[in-house]
Amino acid sequence: MRVIVFFDLPVETSEERRAYRAFRKFLLGEGFLMMQESVYSKLTLNATAAAAVMKTVKKNCPRKGLVQMLLVTEKQYNNIELLVGESESEVINTTDKLVVL
C-alpha cells in the first residue's frame, strides 16, 4: 500500500516558512519520497502499517495550510500514467515478487 501526502502550506512569514521546512523534513525523515512538488508518497507493508504512518503524519501536521492524505494499493499506484515530463526516480516500481537487477 502507498500513503500519498498532498500539501499546500503558506510561506508568507518566516514562521510559516519554518513550519513548511519542518514538515517537509519530517516527511523525508519518515521515508517519504517526493513524487512532485508538495506531493510525497511512502510504501507500506499493509493497511495496519499505513494507518500508523497516517497517524504519525496527523500528529506532525502544521497548524496552517492544507494537508491531505490518500491511501492506495500498489496495483492502483502502478496505474499512474505519465502525461508530460520525465520520471526521474531510481526506485524500481513493479508489483513483481522477484526483481533481478
Side-chain angles (χ1 to χ4, degrees):
M1 303 204 81
R2 295 259 180 166
V3 176
I4 303 175
V5 176
F6 308 89
F7 61 92
D8 186 16
L9 302 176
V11 290
E12 294 174 358
T13 67
S14 62
E15 184 179 321
E16 291 171 342
R17 286 189 294 274
R18 192 176 311 116
Y20 169 85
R21 287 190 306 269
F23 185 63
R24 185 179 180 281
K25 187 175 180 180
F26 160 76
L27 290 175
L28 294 172
E30 288 293 311
F32 280 84
L33 300 173
M34 186 172 74
M35 293 176 61
Q36 66 184 46
E37 202 169 317
S38 299
V39 179
Y40 289 74
S41 72
K42 180 176 181 172
L43 179 64
T44 60
L45 293 175
N46 53 37
T48 305
V53 168
M54 292 174 85
K55 185 177 179 180
T56 305
V57 171
K58 285 179 188 177
K59 284 183 180 178
N60 291 280
C61 193
R63 294 186 187 271
K64 293 182 180 178
L66 176 66
V67 179
Q68 299 171 311
M69 288 186 287
L70 176 66
L71 181 62
V72 296
T73 65
E74 199 58 23
K75 189 171 185 177
Q76 291 168 328
Y77 182 81
N78 284 328
N79 286 330
I80 291 176
E81 186 175 338
L82 182 63
L83 300 178
V84 176
E86 296 179 18
S87 179
E88 297 180 9
S89 176
E90 294 179 12
V91 177
I92 297 172
N93 196 10
T94 180
T95 57
D96 297 340
K97 298 293 181 192
L98 175 66
V99 177
V100 179
L101 302 175

